[in-house]
Amino acid sequence: MCCVTKPSQELLRSISDEHVLRSLMASRRQTRAELAVTTGLSKPTVGESVRRLVELGLVADTGERTQGGRGRGRVGSFYSLADVGVALVVMIAPGGVTAECIDAYGDVVSRSHHPIAGPAEVAGVLPVAAVEAVAGRQVRLAVVSAADPVDRHTGRLVQLPDSPFLVGALDPVEVLRPFLGGPVIVDNDVNWAAQAEHVATGVADFAYLYLGEGLGCALVSDGEVRRGHSGLAGEIAHLVTIGPSGVATPFIEVFGELGLRQTGSTAIDVARLLAADGEVLSVVARAIGGVVTALVTLADPAVVVVGGPWGPALLDLITTGPRAVAVAAASVREPSLTGARADALSRLRTALVEASRG
């Protein structure tokens, strides 16, 4: 007869502590009696867990009490998370550098934004924005969204031909390391946008096509963003599509031939594009259709999601190839920042659970 190994007391305590912590993350303050209800644990088990978490500095007595006495039962103490630290969220984009600190409830507790005149200013502005957002707080980790290709192994930004917002070989990990004691996670802004779209819609297999000043794509398969060996999957600027004259043309060159680039840059002039006549927009939509056809052929997504400042405006003009696929507008506002925030919150909560285990 096979013997069944019982879980150790240490494991049971660890599981109980995690349940209590995550319950307090979700509802901010609770009594031990309320925690017993929300976690499904016994009152003595919750009491011991709260005691351990208070000793570790992860949970604190708020000083608030329930109304007791005169038939109302015993007075109960309300507990909440202690000052357990924050996660730093940074967005590096053409409009500037934004740095936020979020707590374990998901609240933005501080924010700093610095406009920039060009990508060359990012290296100097990034630490300034981080200092303002951190403001002496304990930062457990950082998550960075960058409007540039990112090397998935190092977190460094990568220079590719014709990238309109070319910061250069910036290393956000190295720049931000002095402000925190934990990891720095860096990813491309379109990947974060796709992750936010997945969470919002529940769709597990789709391509996210970003159409703005720059051109980007993220591929989501089985609920996971596929970044490729180096992290450069989805860089579609040089994907060959149908050009204005009907011949094969790199996607980025379509806008050059149509005179829709910003002066002295490969960046697309969004205002000029949106003001273009129907014939020009039809040519652009046809080029997008060629890109969509390639994505469907290679990745077989259930849907192609179109986001960015001008992409959704052309949605009705886009036609796909012989393999029909649904094409829909993105549903999340501030998608890159939303995706990075959600990841930072998840990582911060996991870090607190790990801290409870010593």
Side-chain angles (χ1 to χ4, degrees):
M1 183 176 180
C2 179
C3 297
V4 178
T5 303
K6 294 183 178 180
S8 66
Q9 288 298 314
E10 182 179 355
L11 176 60
L12 292 174
R13 286 194 293 268
S14 175
I15 293 172
S16 298
D17 292 352
E18 178 173 355
H19 284 318
V20 169
L21 272 175
R22 292 197 180 276
S23 185
L24 287 173
M25 292 171 190
S27 57
R28 297 178 183 268
R29 65 162 206 165
Q30 295 180 73
T31 64
R32 282 173 290 188
E34 289 170 338
L35 283 166
V37 173
T38 57
T39 62
L41 301 171
S42 69
K43 290 182 181 179
T45 298
V46 166
E48 282 299 303
S49 182
V50 167
R51 180 188 61 77
R52 287 191 297 270
L53 293 171
V54 168
E55 290 178 353
L56 288 170
L58 297 175
V59 168
D61 186 331
T62 66
E64 299 172 87
R65 301 291 182 263
T66 61
Q67 293 182 345
R70 295 184 179 273
R72 295 177 178 175
R74 296 176 60 184
V75 174
S77 299
F78 283 100
Y79 292 89
S80 68
L81 296 179
D83 186 6
V84 292
V86 297
L88 178 64
V89 183
V90 177
M91 184 169 69
I92 303 171
V97 176
T98 300
E100 298 179 344
C101 283
I102 62 169
D103 62 20
Y105 301 120
D107 293 338
V108 177
V109 297
S110 62
R111 191 175 196 269
S112 173
H113 176 76
H114 284 260
I116 55 174
E121 296 184 8
V122 171
V125 168
L126 178 55
V128 175
V131 167
E132 292 180 359
V134 169
R137 295 178 175 85
Q138 177 192 5
V139 183
R140 291 184 176 268
L141 58 96
V143 172
V144 180
S145 168
D148 258 341
V150 176
D151 186 316
R152 66 178 298 181
H153 302 294
T154 66
R156 294 179 68 92
L157 306 191
V158 179
Q159 291 187 354
L160 290 179
D162 293 329
S163 287
F165 184 64
L166 197 57
V167 175
L170 179 70
D171 188 348
V173 177
E174 189 66 26
V175 173
L176 296 176
R177 185 171 286 137
F179 305 105
L180 63 152
V184 179
I185 297 90
V186 187
D187 205 352
N188 174 264
D189 58 347
V190 185
N191 286 343
W192 289 125
Q195 192 160 308
E197 189 74 19
H198 166 61
V199 172
T201 64
V203 178
D205 293 276
F206 65 95
Y208 190 106
L209 193 61
Y210 178 87
L211 302 174
E213 291 186 8
L215 306 168
C217 179
L219 300 173
V220 178
S221 177
D222 298 328
E224 297 287 338
V225 176
R226 304 303 177 183
R227 295 171 174 83
H229 172 70
S230 301
L232 304 182
E235 295 298 331
I236 59 168
H238 289 275
L239 190 66
V240 174
T241 184
I242 307 168
S245 60
V247 300
T249 305
F251 193 23
I252 188 65
E253 295 300 330
V254 171
F255 304 91
E257 292 185 22
L258 292 172
L260 296 176
R261 286 181 175 176
Q262 296 178 18
T263 303
S265 171
T266 59
I268 294 163
D269 190 321
V270 175
R272 191 185 306 170
L273 187 153
L274 290 174
D277 60 34
E279 184 177 349
V280 170
L281 294 180
S282 295
V283 172
V284 173
R286 185 176 62 178
I288 297 170
V291 171
V292 169
T293 298
L295 292 174
V296 172
T297 302
L298 292 173
D300 190 28
V303 60
V304 175
V305 175
V306 180
W310 59 268
L314 272 65
L315 206 62
D316 293 339
L317 299 177
I318 299 171
T319 57
T320 60
R323 289 173 57 183
V325 64
V327 181
S331 62
V332 181
R333 295 184 61 186
E334 294 189 310
S336 300
L337 187 56
T338 299
R341 272 196 204 126
D343 186 76
L345 177 60
S346 176
R347 291 178 186 272
L348 176 59
R349 289 177 170 179
T350 298
L352 296 179
V353 170
E354 291 175 350
S356 72
R357 297 168 181 164

